[in-house]
Amino acid sequence: MLLTLAWGSLFFPGLFVLSTWWLRRARPEWTYHDCVMISTRVVSSAQAVLATGSGIVIIRACRNMVSDRHWLSQEYVWFLIPYMVYDTYAMYLCEWHRTREQDRRHTLTIFRNFLSKNRLMITHHVVILLVLVPVTQRLRGDRGDFIVGCIFTAELSTPFVSLGRVLIQLRQQHTLLYKVNGVLTLTTFLSCRILLFPFMYWSYGQQHRLSLFEVPFRIPFYCNVANAFLIAPQIYWFSLLCKKAARLFDPPRAGRDG
């Protein structure tokens, strides 16, 4: 546990520093905020690839979704804890550099703006650290590694979300790459963050010879409640992505009016 925490504490900040340093040398015309923001997205994408890969390995290894075990289901969570702490600080660092480049506000004002603009993501990180970590590491006991693996694969959409943010930062919203990435973002988000939950219910049903619609009535009530809490913010974020995609592919009003 301690060794894994130490590796995570070195890996994520180290990758951020290395990426920022390389971008400053490779793209001297970019502002420091550009380099910091893109480096943050690089680290987020790296974490997402590692989490998704770990999840796939766990899912493939656990034939019984309740009782089968895989060491990654606990070990990767220890690796993830330093990332959540790092990512919160990295988000603040991006806001600090962005604001300082624009109007040099006081640090306390920047911090308040950071909390206001990122309250949903900060809440997400705090819930993971204070609720999901104890559940996955202690409270669930020796059961549910398959489900933990499924939750890890939800990160598959993150690299596409990150690429979209980078393209916006570089003012490339008009490019074909941005539109293709938007489609991939919606597809991966829907499949790995929304449809993931029916997949877990279906997998349980296959194992116990139940239909998908019977499963919610055969599992403990708290499992349904937990899944509802997990899927609710995903549906909200997906609705925001859909609205953004609608604006992206909606033709200009002048063009529609002829």
Side-chain angles (χ1 to χ4, degrees), residues 88 91-92 95 110-128 233 236-237 240:
T88 303
M91 288 190 295
Y92 171 73
E95 178 67 17
I110 297 174
F111 184 70
R112 287 173 178 169
N113 289 340
F114 162 72
L115 293 178
S116 176
K117 292 174 62 176
N118 298 277
R119 59 181 177 272
L120 188 58
M121 188 58 69
I122 294 172
T123 302
H124 170 267
H125 284 21
V126 170
V127 168
I128 288 178
Y236 172 73
W237 279 322
L240 296 182

Side-chain angles (χ1 to χ4, degrees), residues 124-189:
H124 170 267
H125 284 21
V126 170
V127 168
I128 288 178
L129 290 173
L130 300 184
V131 179
L132 293 186
V133 169
V135 168
T136 58
Q137 302 302 80
R138 291 289 181 265
L139 299 180
R140 70 184 177 93
D142 296 333
R143 313 179 78 184
D145 283 16
F146 179 92
I147 296 172
V148 174
C150 289
I151 299 301
F152 285 168
T153 63
E155 290 293 313
L156 180 61
S157 62
T158 299
F160 302 103
V161 174
S162 295
L163 178 57
R165 296 285 181 85
V166 170
L167 292 173
I168 291 174
Q169 184 72 17
L170 300 179
R171 298 177 180 84
Q172 298 296 310
Q173 299 97 313
H174 62 282
T175 62
L176 177 62
L177 174 61
Y178 183 78
K179 294 183 178 181
V180 171
N181 183 72
V183 173
L184 292 174
T185 300
L186 286 174
T187 302
T188 54
F189 200 101

Side-chain angles (χ1 to χ4, degrees), residues 3-22:
L3 183 60
T4 307
L5 283 169
W7 275 114
S9 300
L10 290 173
F11 177 76
F12 295 114
L15 181 58
F16 172 78
V17 171
L18 182 63
S19 177
T20 303
W21 173 82
W22 183 83

Side-chain angles (χ1 to χ4, degrees), residues 33 36-37 40 89-99:
H33 170 248
V36 168
M37 192 281 295
T40 302
Y89 175 73
M91 288 190 295
Y92 171 73
L93 199 61
C94 288
E95 178 67 17
W96 191 87
H97 283 290
R98 184 189 68 81
T99 307

Side-chain angles (χ1 to χ4, degrees), residues 243-255:
K243 291 177 182 178
K244 189 174 181 179
R247 293 195 300 268
L248 175 64
F249 292 100
D250 191 31
R253 182 171 299 276

Side-chain angles (χ1 to χ4, degrees), residues 47-59 72 152-153 155-156:
Q47 190 283 134
V49 170
L50 292 173
T52 302
S54 299
I56 292 172
V57 169
I58 295 168
I59 292 170
L72 272 174
F152 285 168
T153 63
E155 290 293 313
L156 180 61

